[in-house]
Amino acid sequence: MFMTDPLATSMARLREMVEEADVIAGFTGAGISTESGVPDFRSPDSPWLKNRPIPFEAFVRSEEARREAWRRKFVMDDLYRGARPNRGHRAIASLVESGRMPAVITQNIDGLHQASGIAEDRVIELHGNGTYAACLSCGRRHELAWVRARFEQTGDGPRCEACDGIVKSATISFGQSMPELPLRKSVRLAMTCDLFLVVGSSLVVHPAASLPVMAKENGARLVIVNRDPTPLDGIADLVIHGEIGPVLSGFIPDREA
């Protein structure tokens, strides 16, 4: 990669800020996973535009909506079935392993932070997880292979094996209440960190986008690494507009690079 002097300077400054920090809050969005082949939501040609998630109210109310939701879900799953953690994920995993980053807060549903080696309890998923399903009534977990087999056999969304409740992808859909525990954990980390590191988020979805502001107002430094400008660039201590993999690759141990 051709590196301009300003970019090199910014990357060196990022390294200094990470080394100076005692508690780093990681915060990731769709941009960290695009290098892995997972499409983001806002690119003009994003397949999400053709396969938009069904709103929660419609999913619960209508069997037809549930059938369409599962159809779209499996179309999208097939598009990035082979996705693996990339340099951005591995860099975040390295920071968690170092002990400086207690957890990573993520808006993503792809499970790639866990696949990069970060323990489940160190990944705070604000929008759920799309790698499995759960019953809306009793909460029982259902694996997607089972859900897909039932869907392809019957054409309908499956019911819970335990209570016959509605089974849904374990993501947080539009109109669905965000889980309280992940949000509380995120707020706690934002309030106790001295460096809040945003990676690959457009910072337009709330309440998640309020977390960097909360950290900044509580005295933390704010760093934003994202391909495009965000609404919070103006309050950040450092902004790097560039490809995430190359920018963060310096945090990957040599044995993994």
Side-chain angles (χ1 to χ4, degrees):
M1 180 187 72
F2 176 74
M3 188 179 298
T4 63
D5 286 340
L7 179 57
T9 300
S10 294
M11 290 170 62
R13 181 58 182 145
L14 173 59
R15 167 69 69 176
E16 291 175 357
M17 294 173 76
V18 167
E19 291 176 350
E20 292 166 358
D22 292 320
V23 179
I24 305 171
F27 180 93
T28 64
I32 197 173
S33 294
T34 55
E35 185 178 302
S36 297
V38 181
D40 63 24
F41 286 86
R42 290 176 174 80
S43 295
D45 58 348
S46 173
W48 286 107
L49 297 177
K50 294 181 179 179
N51 296 282
R52 294 181 184 274
I54 298 293
F56 182 69
E57 182 180 352
F59 184 92
V60 173
R61 183 180 65 245
S62 166
E63 178 61 44
E64 181 179 357
R66 290 194 287 275
R67 285 195 293 266
E68 179 61 15
W70 283 115
R71 186 195 69 79
R72 296 182 189 184
K73 161 71 174 167
F74 295 131
V75 167
M76 293 303 300
D77 282 359
D78 288 345
L79 285 177
Y80 57 89
R81 181 176 301 281
R84 296 292 182 270
N86 61 50
R87 291 172 290 180
H89 296 107
R90 297 201 302 275
I92 294 294
S94 177
L95 290 172
V96 172
E97 184 180 4
S98 75
R100 289 184 175 180
M101 184 178 287
V104 56
I105 305 163
T106 187
Q107 297 171 288
N108 296 344
I109 60 172
D110 52 37
L112 290 179
H113 281 304
Q114 292 92 325
S116 73
I118 303 177
E120 288 278 354
D121 62 354
R122 297 295 187 92
V123 182
I124 304 173
E125 294 175 316
L126 292 176
H127 298 160
N129 189 307
T131 66
Y132 61 94
C135 174
L136 293 177
S137 297
C138 72
R140 177 169 176 167
R141 175 170 172 149
H142 294 70
E143 301 305 322
L144 289 182
W146 177 85
V147 174
R148 187 162 193 167
R150 292 297 183 93
F151 177 73
E152 291 177 348
Q153 287 170 4
T154 68
D156 293 328
R159 308 291 294 198
C160 178
E161 289 187 297
C163 73
D164 200 44
I166 295 172
V167 173
K168 178 185 171 294
S169 171
T171 55
I172 305 304
S173 300
F174 297 109
Q176 186 175 5
S177 298
M178 290 187 66
E180 292 184 9
L181 182 57
L183 190 56
R184 286 202 302 269
K185 288 181 176 180
S186 299
V187 169
R188 189 180 307 120
L189 182 54
M191 296 296 288
T192 55
C193 71
D194 54 5
L195 176 64
F196 196 98
L197 176 60
V198 176
V199 180
S201 175
S202 60
L203 296 177
V204 297
V205 177
H206 289 271
S210 65
L211 294 169
V213 177
M214 193 179 302
K216 178 70 176 176
E217 291 178 344
N218 203 51
R221 289 170 165 175
L222 174 59
V223 175
I224 299 174
V225 181
N226 196 52
R227 183 186 60 191
D228 302 315
T230 81
L232 300 186
D233 285 3
I235 68 168
D237 297 276
L238 176 65
V239 177
I240 302 178
H241 291 152
E243 297 299 325
I244 292 167
V247 169
L248 295 187
S249 59
F251 295 103
I252 305 172
D254 291 339
R255 67 181 185 276
E256 299 178 17

